[in-house]
Amino acid sequence: MASYDGRSCDEKLSNYQTVSILGHCFDSKAMVYLAKHIPSGSMVAIKKFDMDKIKKGIDLVESEIILTRQLCHPHIINYFAAFVAGQEVCVATPLMGYGSCRDLLVRHFNEGLPEPAIITIIRDVLDALVYIHDKGYIHRAIRASHILVSADGYACLAGMRYACPIVANGKWQRSIHSFPATTEKNLNWLSPELLEQNLQGYNEKSDIYSIGIVLCELANGTEPFSGMSKTLMLTEKVRGWKPQLLDRTTVSKEENLDSGGDCEMSTNVLNRRFSDDLHELTGQCLNRDMYDRPSASQLLAHPIFKTIKKSLPLPELLKPALPLNDRVGYDTEEMKNFDMINQMTELDLNSCEWDF
């Protein structure tokens, strides 16, 4: 069957047959659908932004589409097409079978992903970051919900609407002072220097701090500072407190009991052991001073990434999670019955936050 390469500039909504709702994004102001690209027969994801609801975020949608379509990297989500249909702006993307890393944590790995899966995903994200930084951009929104995983087992970085340029007037800036718009959902992942907004400013190393938070998020099942007030979160970051991977080397049973049950952890968490290399990698990313953090390319040279050469493929590591299969929806009779597809338990399409 022909594949959809996205090179046609004459795309319109009638070229797509909607199969079912995958979830929502952009603070629930946009919906994501599973759809079939009729000319090629390929399954894709369609994001529909309702511009009447977004209003103040129109510039973000526009900048994300423009920037994403300028980028070309295997670990950055690709936009096949972008077009207007009524009051909606529609964007066609590849169907990422496992959804986001946040979806994987919520549905299948409440206590965190296996270490080899974490390393594989972070390697792909760092590869994308090297490319983005070399292109002169800071991402500013790296988090698990902005990391999508394909059915083949490669990770793609999304969420480019928060990115900002490092280059101004043809010159590479040593520091940036602009604060990302509508960034409340990203605060827990942002670096202390970005949040401080002082005279020193920040640079692309702020993305490295976010990588450290994502490492904790993928390993622990939830991001650091979750449930904490924004003021206390900022205070803790500014004073240099480093979040940690939760295992038997960082949390003892006695400490868990002393907590009064507020952060009660399972026996699995208290007995597991992450490698020294993963602890070290996380600590390097979360250094308080941005100049003490390695660059994305330096992180990729870390010995931990050599270990995944001997590990299982990512789809094997993510079991029992199963990806949406490209075969879904090829049956015309099934596509006529949306209710039937929504009720197929193996798809698990509902209540999904594809927040990219």
Side-chain angles (χ1 to χ4, degrees), residues 68-313:
T68 303
R69 299 210 72 185
Q70 289 176 351
L71 303 176
C72 182
H73 190 275
H75 298 302
I76 297 175
I77 194 69
N78 179 29
Y79 283 2
F80 290 147
F83 50 92
V84 177
Q87 81 277 13
E88 295 179 325
V89 172
C90 303
V91 178
T93 73
L95 177 62
M96 304 299 283
Y98 286 99
S100 75
C101 286
R102 186 71 227 156
D103 295 329
L104 285 169
L105 294 175
V106 170
R107 296 181 176 193
H108 300 284
F109 299 95
N110 300 145
E111 296 174 352
L113 296 170
E115 180 168 329
I118 297 171
I119 298 168
T120 302
I121 291 167
I122 292 298
R123 177 202 58 189
D124 290 352
V125 174
L126 286 173
D127 200 27
L129 266 190
V130 171
Y131 174 82
I132 291 171
H133 292 168
D134 285 348
K135 286 288 185 181
Y137 290 94
I138 306 174
H139 189 282
R140 301 195 303 183
I142 299 171
R143 65 187 202 222
S145 61
H146 284 160
I147 301 170
L148 308 176
V149 181
S150 75
D152 295 332
Y154 65 90
C156 280
L157 190 57
M160 294 302 298
R161 60 182 170 273
Y162 302 101
C164 72
I166 307 172
V167 179
N169 299 320
K171 296 182 179 179
W172 197 279
Q173 305 299 300
R174 293 188 60 185
S175 61
I176 305 295
H177 295 87
S178 66
F179 194 75
T182 62
T183 191
E184 183 177 353
K185 292 187 69 174
N186 296 320
L187 290 177
N188 286 350
W189 290 266
L190 296 180
S191 67
E193 67 272 11
L194 195 158
L195 293 172
E196 274 186 296
Q197 288 293 290
N198 59 23
L199 294 176
Q200 185 181 17
Y202 61 93
N203 59 24
E204 66 274 15
K205 294 288 187 70
S206 64
D207 281 342
I208 302 302
Y209 183 92
S210 299
I211 289 289
I213 298 294
V214 169
L215 279 165
C216 292
E217 183 180 13
L218 298 182
N220 302 336
T222 187
E223 79 275 11
F225 312 107
S226 177
M228 185 181 294
S229 72
K230 302 307 180 187
T231 302
L232 181 56
M233 176 270 295
L234 176 59
T235 301
E236 292 293 282
K237 286 186 177 183
V238 169
R239 74 179 181 88
W241 180 76
K242 283 188 179 183
Q244 293 180 313
L245 308 180
L246 301 180
D247 65 9
R248 66 172 181 263
T249 68
T250 57
V251 181
S252 68
K253 293 182 180 179
E254 289 75 17
E255 288 173 328
N256 188 44
L257 291 173
D258 291 343
S259 71
D262 290 339
C263 54
E264 185 177 351
M265 298 172 192
S266 72
T267 302
N268 180 49
V269 172
L270 294 172
N271 289 337
R272 72 184 176 193
R273 175 71 164 89
F274 292 115
S275 68
D276 291 339
D277 279 343
L278 191 61
H279 280 285
E280 179 192 33
L281 184 76
T282 304
Q284 289 180 3
C285 293
L286 294 172
N287 281 327
R288 168 66 179 87
D289 192 328
M290 61 184 176
Y291 296 107
D292 290 335
R293 297 174 209 144
S295 65
S297 57
Q298 288 171 333
L299 282 174
L300 279 174
H302 195 283
I304 197 170
F305 295 109
K306 295 179 181 178
T307 64
I308 57 177
K309 293 180 180 179
K310 300 179 180 179
S311 69
L312 294 170

